[in-house]
Amino acid sequence: MSGLRADVEFRRPEFTLRAELAVAPGEVLIRVKAAGVNPVDWKTRSGGGMAGILGDPPFVLGWDVSGVVEEVGFGVHTLQVGDEVHGMPWFPRQAGAYAEYVTAPSRHFVRKPASLNHDQAAGVPLAALTAWQSLVDLAGISAGQRVLVHAASGGVGHFAVQIAKHFGAHVVGTASASKHDWLRELGADELVDYRSTRFEDTVEPVDLVLDLVGDDKDDTSTRSLQVLKPGGRLIAVPSGVDPALVDKAEAQGLRAGGYLVEPDAVGLHRIDELIDNGTIRVEVGEVLPLSQAAEAHRRGEQGQVRGKLVLRVHD
């Protein structure tokens, strides 16, 4: 786990305590029950991700929050004390979800799905909103389209499979063979074992590629252009798209670009409705205590967790 410094990334500084968190007008104070762990967390810890936005360490990582409203600021009328909520506050600015308490604008949160506990609810916001905003808001996914999701078994990927299926798409996913049966349960129509098969050799042309791997790993974005239909679109989430690849796509009559998720109470509420009615489910692969945040990052970096990693802060 290169670059890990416990005094920087995983200490629990005093400003995480409730007594030192002021609630501004329009904000709420949340007692954190659980915090989701995402790739952007360990990338930021290592100097990538959002490190440039957060500035010099020390800083507190984490953006996925599930917890209970402890206090509301002046002007807040969407939430009240005692509400169980979840959200992705402040992204990409520091939210400090790996902490006992956080403050953020009230509209960065919604009441958590009644069908989920806090561990599960903490696994939803960043990953599900990334999938939703990429597929629905940006790409305008529609019935009958063919969609290829890379890293389909990960946090964003398993939501993307379900969201695409919900909108009537034919879903193709890349994942290790051990995850295929589970992904079929989620709605995937075709699956490719990336360890044994080059997806461009077997996948029939698709309208949209949601690339959750990127060119840093085996030129996945560049290779994805080969499976797009004329006019098709590549959305690369992890690190965006190199301008040269954008030009290459345009020369072939294709579109390519990146995407950065943003807080979205309306979108999260729509996702939560689908969770509560059983259309979408969140897979929490592992739950670890906050004290084991470093171990959670190690497991995440290994890339073999099914669904989401979550840190439990308060019982």
Side-chain angles (χ1 to χ4, degrees), residues 14-35:
E14 292 180 357
F15 62 76
T16 63
L17 300 178
R18 173 176 178 170
E20 299 191 19
L21 282 174
V23 182
E27 292 187 349
V28 290
L29 173 72
I30 305 297
R31 185 173 191 257
V32 180
K33 291 284 192 175

Side-chain angles (χ1 to χ4, degrees), residues 28 30 69 72 76-81 83 85 106 109-111:
V28 290
I30 305 297
V69 177
V72 300
V76 173
H77 61 273
T78 57
L79 299 172
Q80 58 187 0
V81 173
D83 282 345
V85 299
S106 62
F109 297 96
V110 299
R111 292 178 180 83

